[in-house]
Amino acid sequence: GQQLNQSPQSMFIQEGEDVSMNCTSSSIFNTWLWYKQDPGEGPVLLIALYKAGELTSNGRLTAQFGITRKDSFLNISASIPSDVGIYFCVGEYGNKLVFGAGTILRVKS
Amino acid sequence: DAMVIQNPRYQVTQFGKPVTLSCSQTLNHNVMYWYQQKSSQAPKLLFHYYDKDFNNEADTPDNFQSRRPNTSFCFLDIRSPGLGDAAMYLCATTPIGGDTEAFFGQGTRLTVV
């Protein structure tokens, strides 16, 4: 079946640092979604990418849909304490959603 | 306003006692999903409805059942909860055709005692 490799598994960074995480797959996806999940809550959409090569920003967040349609990255600039949480990439093909394993982000003040 | 609503947010049930979790949506989406999520792991798909068509994942235990009486509501029934079923349960929706944002509820945290 389709699988996503998300890295890194976890990050412990200093407040103000930039963060980068990515997902790769051997399968092609039509859409890439990036979600953030706070403890005890459901995932919340950060950025949706719909076209190969698309680069989209949402405040301090920037994400790109890889040109091969098999990968995506998410960057967070100037991290702040409320960026703490788990970040999931999701590759979507029709109604099929494939989750990455998640990146746990911790921020030191 | 919340578009995918799960109730209750927290559920405590006894070992072996049937429990039902509910999900409702105001998006009129045809596809609804149920996921099980254990601590710091990715959500694991249990099953999904493609309109009225029920699609069970091959490794979903028989202990887990679902009902979808109409477009807006979907239920997850756990017939005999075991300690290993303690988890966060997430409901999500997408329109038919997908390839767009999936909307998640806030989840139900299930504790089995």
Side-chain angles (χ1 to χ4, degrees):
Chain A
Q2 294 167 306
Q3 289 189 328
L4 292 183
N5 299 309
Q6 183 171 351
S7 65
Q9 269 190 315
S10 65
M11 304 180 75
F12 194 11
I13 62 167
Q14 189 71 41
E15 181 178 357
E17 286 183 0
D18 296 343
V19 171
S20 186
M21 59 191 79
N22 70 85
C23 281
T24 61
S25 174
S26 57
S27 303
I28 288 173
F29 292 100
N30 291 337
T31 301
W32 283 93
L33 307 169
W34 284 93
Y35 287 87
K36 178 176 184 269
Q37 188 174 24
D38 292 328
E41 301 290 332
V44 174
L45 185 73
L46 299 173
I47 292 181
L49 302 159
Y50 298 108
K51 289 200 301 192
E54 179 181 353
L55 182 70
T56 296
S57 293
N58 178 9
R60 293 180 295 109
L61 278 60
T62 302
Q64 184 156 33
F65 192 145
I67 198 74
T68 65
R69 295 170 60 195
K70 294 181 180 180
D71 63 301
S72 178
F73 72 74
L74 173 71
N75 289 340
I76 305 172
S77 62
S79 58
I80 59 178
S82 62
D83 290 334
V84 164
I86 305 178
Y87 292 77
F88 290 104
C89 64
V90 177
E92 192 172 12
Y93 194 92
N95 284 111
K96 186 172 178 64
L97 304 172
V98 182
F99 276 81
T103 295
I104 299 171
L105 180 62
R106 298 184 181 91
V107 180
K108 288 184 283 187
S109 306
Chain B
D1 289 337
M3 294 173 282
V4 182
I5 301 165
Q6 292 188 242
N7 283 303
R9 290 292 310 277
Y10 303 93
Q11 175 75 57
V12 180
T13 191
Q14 289 181 333
F15 183 95
K17 184 174 180 182
V19 66
T20 295
L21 311 182
S22 78
C23 177
S24 64
Q25 52 124 343
T26 59
L27 298 161
N28 206 34
H29 283 170
N30 296 92
V31 187
M32 293 186 79
Y33 308 79
W34 277 107
Y35 290 89
Q36 179 193 65
Q37 186 180 29
K38 299 202 173 177
S39 182
S40 296
Q41 296 180 21
K44 180 179 181 301
L45 183 65
L46 295 173
F47 24 61
H48 74 280
Y49 278 91
Y50 195 85
D51 202 4
K52 294 180 182 177
D53 293 333
F54 177 70
N55 298 273
N56 201 29
E57 292 300 297
D59 57 353
T60 298
D62 292 340
N63 197 25
F64 292 87
Q65 305 284 317
S66 185
R67 296 170 284 134
R68 189 178 186 186
N70 54 53
T71 300
S72 300
F73 286 88
C74 197
F75 299 98
L76 170 62
D77 301 309
I78 309 177
R79 293 194 295 189
S80 180
L83 297 179
D85 297 327
M88 173 76 95
Y89 289 88
L90 295 167
C91 173
T93 74
T94 63
I96 275 187
D99 290 336
T100 188
E101 177 182 355
F103 291 81
F104 285 83
Q106 289 181 292
T108 295
R109 167 71 65 187
L110 178 69
T111 300
V112 181
V113 298

